[in-house]
């Protein structure tokens, strides 16, 4: 039991992003969103492509901008090996 | 003049002057200092000018190295100049960190290699027939010339003076201390620059 718990806590996690959905709902370009949040377009591209996990601060900024909760934009799943 | 402005100017002079210093150093290795006196005045003037430029660059480099040790502001300031790239957000700060890590590790690898190459000594030679043992007069010697002072290592001569033929004689790095240090400085700048550009091209994805 304890072994299973330890395994689940050390398993590699993958952050899934729904940022592109929120952005599309607002009919915003990546450039516009980047300008509003104060990051580069490349960072928005990387977050949407799930190549970059934003910091908590940036995640909160994005959630606040879209007036939602962080977990609505970002979810987590166990990474397949 | 404010210190920040001075730092900015000095860091630019250092970086822009670095290729020139490398060119002067390479040129100097082909020039015989005694032969300069017999050259036309224009060559002598150019040689003197190169020395003056190098002297000035050295003074700026000394100032910069002292500031780099003691001031965290200039460390933050000079990094974007090394790659002509300014961190605009947290992702780019992460890329800068990755490039720095890569440069640190590759430089460490080069330093270890240079250490090995500088201490390793090997020689393979044919001795005189009268010193042959069981009819064999070829000798191979391996050694480690580990010494903190340069003279201690140089004084170790693995090949005796009365050998007939020397096939291999390697006794440490053939480059001067200046050449090695200059190479390491250029390596640091070029490696950081290359790593940063690669990371930007790949969007920061691990290669």
């Amino acid at each position: 039991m304890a072994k299973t718990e330890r395994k689940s806590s050390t398993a590699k996690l993958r952050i899934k992003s729904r940022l592109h959905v929120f952005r599309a709902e607002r009919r915003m370009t990546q450039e516009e969103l980047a300008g509003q949040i104060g990051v580069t377009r490349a960072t928005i591209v990387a977050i949407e492509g799930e190549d970059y996990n934003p910091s908590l601060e940036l995640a909160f900024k994005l959630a606040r901008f879209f007036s939602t909760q962080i977990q609505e934009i970002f979810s987590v799943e166990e990474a397949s090996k | 003049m404010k210190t920040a402005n001075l730092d900015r100017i000095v860091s630019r002079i250092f970086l822009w002057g670095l290729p020139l210093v490398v060119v002067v150093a390479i040129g100097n290795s082909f020039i015989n200092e005694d032969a300069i006196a017999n050259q036309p005045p224009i060559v002598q003037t150019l040689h003197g000018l190169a020395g003056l430029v190098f002297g000035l660059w050295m003074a700026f480099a000394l100032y910069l190295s002292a500031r780099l040790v003691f001031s965290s502001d200039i460390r933050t300031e000079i990094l974007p100049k090394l790659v002509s790239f300014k961190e605009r957000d947290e992702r780019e700060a992460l890329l800068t960190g990755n490039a720095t890590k890569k440069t640190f590790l590759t430089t460490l690898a080069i330093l270890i290699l240079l250490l090995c190459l500088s201490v390793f000594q090997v020689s393979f030679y044919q001795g005189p027939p009268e010193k042959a043992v069981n009819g064999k007069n070829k000798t191979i010697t391996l050694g480690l010339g580990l010494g903190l002072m340069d003279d201690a290592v140089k004084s170790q001569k693995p090949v005796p003076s009365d050998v007939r033929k020397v096939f291999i004689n390697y006794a440490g790095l053939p480059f001067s201390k200046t050449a090695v240090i200059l190479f390491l400085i250029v390596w640091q700048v070029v490696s950081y620059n290359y790593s940063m550009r690669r990371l930007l091209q790949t969007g920061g994805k691990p290669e």
Side-chain angles (χ1 to χ4, degrees), chain B:
Chain B
M1 188 188 282
K2 281 182 184 174
T3 321
N5 288 341
L6 184 66
D7 288 348
R8 202 172 302 129
I9 293 166
V10 170
S11 57
R12 275 188 191 155
I13 291 171
F14 174 80
L15 288 171
W16 290 30
L18 192 56
L20 193 71
V21 169
V22 174
V23 169
V24 170
I26 293 168
N28 254 3
S29 61
F30 294 108
I31 295 169
N32 182 0
E33 286 295 321
D34 298 331
I36 290 292
N38 304 322
Q39 295 296 319
I42 182 79
V43 177
Q44 290 183 28
T45 312
L46 279 174
H47 186 255
L49 198 67
L52 185 73
V53 168
F54 181 62
L56 277 172
W57 183 83
M58 281 294 292
F60 286 123
L62 275 174
Y63 169 81
L64 192 68
S65 62
R67 292 282 295 150
L68 277 172
V69 171
F70 296 112
S71 165
S72 62
D73 289 346
I74 194 169
R75 285 197 289 268
T76 322
E77 176 81 19
I78 200 166
L79 211 54
K81 285 190 179 59
L82 285 171
V83 279
S84 317
F85 172 80
K86 203 172 181 182
E87 293 165 7
R88 292 168 295 177
D89 61 20
E90 59 174 48
R91 188 183 131 272
E92 291 183 349
L94 186 81
L95 295 185
T96 309
N98 285 345
T100 312
K101 191 164 67 181
K102 221 171 185 177
T103 302
F104 167 74
L105 290 172
T106 52
T107 307
L108 185 68
I110 287 175
L111 286 171
I112 293 168
L113 178 73
L114 286 175
L115 178 71
C116 293
L117 288 175
S118 67
V119 300
F120 184 65
Q121 295 175 341
V122 59
S123 54
F124 180 41
Y125 56 89
Q126 189 176 18
E130 59 272 18
K131 284 190 177 177
V133 179
N134 295 332
K136 291 172 183 169
N137 62 347
K138 284 181 184 150
T139 308
I140 184 163
T141 61
L142 295 169
L144 294 173
L146 199 58
L148 293 179
M149 305 305 282
D150 219 13
D151 290 343
V153 178
K154 275 181 186 166
S155 64
Q156 294 173 10
K157 288 177 183 165
V159 181
S161 53
D162 59 345
V163 296
R164 283 181 70 186
K165 197 173 181 183
V166 178
F167 301 108
I168 299 169
N169 184 22
Y170 176 82
L173 279 175
F175 307 109
S176 70
K177 280 179 280 190
T178 312
V180 172
I181 293 166
L182 204 57
F183 167 74
L184 284 171
I185 293 172
V186 172
W187 170 260
Q188 285 257 304
V189 175
V190 171
S191 165
Y192 183 81
N193 222 311
Y194 176 76
S195 303
M196 197 66 211
R197 306 241 168 252
R198 284 283 298 167
L199 284 168
L200 283 173
Q201 275 171 10
T202 59
K205 283 182 209 166
E207 287 168 49

Side-chain angles (χ1 to χ4, degrees), chain A residues 3-18:
Chain A
K3 203 171 181 181
T4 317
E5 278 172 12
R6 191 185 301 164
K7 194 183 171 190
S8 63
S9 62
T10 56
K12 204 163 186 193
L13 300 176
R14 186 169 171 216
I15 308 293
K16 299 279 285 176
S17 168
R18 290 184 68 240

Side-chain angles (χ1 to χ4, degrees), chain A residues 55-69:
Chain A
S55 67
L56 261 180
E57 188 187 348
L58 180 54
F60 271 112
K61 271 187 190 173
L62 287 164
R64 187 181 285 179
F65 180 77
F66 290 114
S67 310
T68 187
Q69 303 290 311

